[in-house]
Amino acid sequence: MKVVLATSNPGKVAEAREILHGSPLEIVTIAMWLGDVETGVTYLENARLKARSASRVTHLPVLAEDAGIEVDALHGAPGPHSARFSGPAATDTTNNAKLLRLLDGAADRGARYRAVAVLVLPSGKEFVGEGTFEGAVAERVRGSGGFGYDPLFVPNGEVRTAAELAPDEKNAISHRGLALRALVAEFADL
Amino acid sequence: MKVVLATSNPGKVAEAREILHGSPLEIVTIAMWLGDVETGVTYLENARLKARSASRVTHLPVLAEDAGIEVDALHGAPGPHSARFSGPAATDTTNNAKLLRLLDGAADRGARYRAVAVLVLPSGKEFVGEGTFEGAVAERVRGSGGFGYDPLFVPNGEVRTAAELAPDEKNAISHRGLALRALVAEFADL
């Protein structure tokens, strides 16, 4: 049975999931409870579906975000499918390995991260922010910060990967930073 | 304004909170939304309050847990106040520092962690599990695993602190592991 864990402590979530692995109780968050709602074909549709579903269940203001990496040599793939790039059981490690394999020997390694954030209020009112983060795919994974494709993503003007940047350095220029700050600006205008 | 972040990705939660720090939007989880519901005087009351409140808002099965460390030389303090031991802005670092300061020169360093987990179903049906983890308070913080007082807590029969144990080693003997497995046993009996 899926159960929502009521805590604000990420350490407790990780421990509880490990402890209950294989038991009849599966720890989920509100987003996981709502299941695979990412059935849209764009970042905006995915973020909007997540935010609306969670707001409808909880009657609370909900912020959701969808993001992906678009690789020039792959004609913009994996895009909105970035999280599941290497299959239904994909992890950051298997996704990065697949991307490296597909780009083996590729001369054009240009890529960009994109993010769309959507805030849905219980009234149904909606705020949207978008962000783009230009860069290139490195030849091997480097760094332990961030998540997703960060160990392979070298932002334009950088020699380090996004996983080698300090969190505040990454957040100042990242797709997610830009998207959330754009959303806040729209909200503050109200 | 508090907004619930709809994601199952802990990396996204951390980044979004950092990016939005100082903005009008404050990222919270369901548990944080419900606010400072830990107004009971026992672990059981605290866990039950959190689980019931979150289940009432979401109409979902909710698991909540409350835990604390009881130090013999402090007559069982901080107990259910462990998370806020060093004040309203307490962090693991300031809590551990306060505990070390209070135990400076103490001969008796015996202590135990206790946890109570409560699962509340939308029907109101409730399952409870409890766990105790006996040990002693180290002379200085050691290790980077776990959270809370783990860097100071040396389990009985161990020389390492709980923060120096591998996650599966800690979970096999910890108060949280015992409490959650006891709850699962009660649930499975149904």
Side-chain angles (χ1 to χ4, degrees):
Chain A
M1 187 179 69
K2 290 197 293 185
V3 300
V4 172
L5 188 65
T7 184
S8 54
N9 185 330
K12 284 194 182 182
V13 178
E15 277 198 8
R17 301 204 81 192
E18 282 167 16
I19 291 166
L20 295 175
H21 183 75
S23 87
L25 299 184
E26 181 195 357
I27 298 289
V28 298
T29 64
I30 280 289
M32 295 161 91
W33 178 277
L34 297 168
D36 197 4
V37 292
E38 294 187 24
T39 52
V41 294
T42 67
Y43 306 117
L44 176 59
E45 285 171 328
N46 288 335
R48 184 179 269 154
L49 281 166
K50 276 189 283 194
R52 284 188 182 167
S53 311
S55 185
R56 203 158 45 229
V57 168
T58 60
H59 308 284
L60 301 176
V62 173
L63 179 67
E65 182 253 18
D66 194 47
I69 191 167
E70 298 172 358
V71 179
D72 292 337
L74 305 177
H75 312 291
H81 308 291
S82 294
R84 297 285 168 272
F85 189 33
S86 52
T91 65
D92 287 351
T93 304
T94 61
N95 284 337
N96 280 307
K98 178 171 179 180
L99 182 54
L100 270 186
R101 205 163 55 241
L102 289 176
L103 289 193
D104 189 28
D108 179 3
R109 304 187 76 89
R112 70 209 47 74
Y113 263 132
R114 284 194 202 275
V116 177
V118 175
L119 170 64
V120 172
L121 304 187
S123 66
K125 182 147 183 61
E126 190 179 290
F127 302 87
V128 176
E130 302 194 25
T132 301
F133 191 16
E134 297 283 347
V137 179
E139 299 279 349
R140 58 180 181 81
V141 295
R142 281 187 276 129
S144 58
F147 58 93
Y149 296 87
D150 287 356
L152 280 182
F153 186 78
V154 181
N156 281 356
E158 263 296 335
V159 291
R160 297 172 295 176
T161 68
E164 291 175 315
L165 301 180
D168 56 346
E169 286 181 298
K170 180 189 166 192
N171 294 338
I173 55 175
S174 78
H175 54 311
R176 184 164 296 106
L178 294 166
L180 289 174
R181 287 191 296 271
L183 184 149
V184 165
E186 207 205 328
F187 177 79
D189 272 353
L190 189 71
Chain B
M1 185 180 68
K2 290 198 292 185
V3 301
V4 173
L5 188 65
T7 185
S8 55
N9 185 329
K12 283 195 183 182
V13 178
E15 277 198 8
R17 301 204 80 192
E18 283 168 15
I19 291 166
L20 295 174
H21 183 76
S23 87
L25 300 184
E26 181 194 356
I27 297 291
V28 299
T29 65
I30 279 289
M32 294 161 91
W33 179 276
L34 296 166
D36 198 5
V37 293
E38 293 187 23
T39 52
V41 295
T42 67
Y43 306 117
L44 176 59
E45 285 171 327
N46 288 335
R48 184 178 269 154
L49 282 166
K50 277 188 282 193
R52 284 188 182 167
S53 312
S55 184
R56 203 159 45 229
V57 168
T58 60
H59 308 285
L60 300 176
V62 173
L63 179 67
E65 182 253 19
D66 194 48
I69 192 166
E70 298 173 358
V71 179
D72 292 338
L74 305 178
H75 313 291
H81 308 291
S82 294
R84 298 285 169 271
F85 189 34
S86 51
T91 65
D92 288 350
T93 304
T94 61
N95 284 338
N96 280 306
K98 179 171 178 180
L99 181 55
L100 270 185
R101 204 163 55 241
L102 289 176
L103 288 192
D104 190 27
D108 180 2
R109 304 187 75 91
R112 68 209 48 74
Y113 263 132
R114 283 194 203 276
V116 177
V118 175
L119 170 65
V120 172
L121 305 188
S123 66
K125 181 144 184 64
E126 189 180 290
F127 302 87
V128 176
E130 302 194 24
T132 301
F133 191 17
E134 296 283 347
V137 179
E139 300 278 349
R140 58 181 180 83
V141 294
R142 280 187 276 129
S144 58
F147 58 94
Y149 296 87
D150 288 356
L152 280 181
F153 186 77
V154 181
N156 281 357
E158 264 296 334
V159 292
R160 296 171 295 177
T161 67
E164 292 174 314
L165 302 180
D168 57 345
E169 286 182 298
K170 180 189 167 192
N171 294 338
I173 55 176
S174 78
H175 54 311
R176 184 163 297 108
L178 294 166
L180 288 174
R181 287 190 296 271
L183 183 148
V184 166
E186 206 205 328
F187 177 78
D189 271 354
L190 189 69

